[in-house]
Amino acid sequence: MAEDDLAWETLDTEIDYRCPGFDVRRDDVELPDGTETEYHHVEEVETVVVLPFLPGGDEVVLIEEWRQAVDRVNRGLPAGGVEPEENDLEAAARRELREETGYTAGSIEHLCTTEPVNGIANSLHHTFVARGCEPTAAQDLDGDESIRTLTADYDDLVAAVRKGEIRDGRAALAVSRYELG
């Protein structure tokens, strides 16, 4: 079966709801069998995720952040949306690292790009590995962010991912992809 045999045709589309951080879009679609229906999904800006290593490479910078959707503090990695005027993903990753942790990277490289929830959202996450990270400033958080910065041994982070103690999908994916080389 060819891929286009699976394609849906969008007949009409509009934003049903806007809020800070994302929109909810409604598409009127026709399925391959001719059925017409509605499909709703979340639209959000591209996101950068940073796996930041301290000099020496044995320790990483992590964040603990309140996540209202799951009603708890979540341990993970610095991450955030690419600003509309930013057309350089590496620069966006450096900015998010600095804003959320106060750390600056000596070097940074792209690790992977993923569609983490493509059944319900158009999210694109660009994950970077930052090396030689040093504290250079205070955090510069958005008004709706509650974030604490901490450092951890990288091997302890890997063990926490393996044990399922890290529930943040972006952090688990970044560590897993990094470990796979």
Side-chain angles (χ1 to χ4, degrees):
M1 178 185 268
E3 183 175 322
D4 58 353
D5 292 343
L6 300 175
W8 297 4
E9 180 183 350
T10 302
L11 306 172
D12 192 26
T13 187
E14 67 181 51
I15 300 295
D16 272 354
Y17 178 76
R18 291 187 190 278
C19 67
F22 65 89
D23 297 333
V24 177
R25 178 172 292 282
R26 180 197 43 79
D27 292 338
D28 294 327
V29 297
E30 182 178 331
L31 306 179
D33 69 1
T35 302
E36 291 186 13
T37 189
E38 290 183 352
Y39 178 79
H40 292 80
H41 67 275
V42 173
E43 286 192 346
E44 63 180 1
V45 299
E46 291 180 78
T47 298
V48 291
V49 181
V50 184
L51 176 57
F53 285 89
L54 296 176
D58 295 333
E59 290 186 287
V60 291
V61 181
L62 302 177
I63 62 169
E64 291 180 329
E65 181 173 11
W66 177 258
R67 291 300 191 181
Q68 183 66 24
V70 293
D71 195 34
R72 66 182 173 76
V73 171
N74 195 49
R75 191 168 29 140
L77 299 175
V82 177
E83 300 291 339
E85 69 278 359
E86 287 178 315
N87 48 7
D88 179 351
L89 294 173
E90 181 181 308
R94 287 179 180 278
R95 177 188 50 75
E96 279 297 329
L97 174 64
R98 186 180 59 255
E99 287 178 357
E100 291 194 355
T101 69
Y103 281 73
T104 302
S107 67
I108 194 162
E109 64 183 273
H110 182 258
L111 178 64
C112 64
T113 296
T114 58
E115 300 170 351
V117 287
N118 61 17
I120 61 168
N122 71 344
S123 307
L124 263 182
H125 290 188
H126 305 281
T127 303
F128 290 84
V129 176
R131 299 187 192 288
C133 296
E134 303 262 10
T136 58
Q139 289 175 299
D140 184 15
L141 301 176
D142 293 338
D144 63 350
E145 291 178 315
S146 299
I147 296 175
R148 176 175 41 241
T149 302
L150 63 145
T151 59
D153 184 84
Y154 177 71
D155 290 338
D156 291 345
L157 174 61
V158 172
V161 168
R162 284 192 176 128
K163 292 177 189 172
E165 295 169 1
I166 298 289
R167 295 175 62 179
D168 179 83
R170 297 178 296 196
L173 174 75
V175 169
S176 299
R177 289 291 296 263
Y178 184 78
E179 284 296 300
L180 290 172

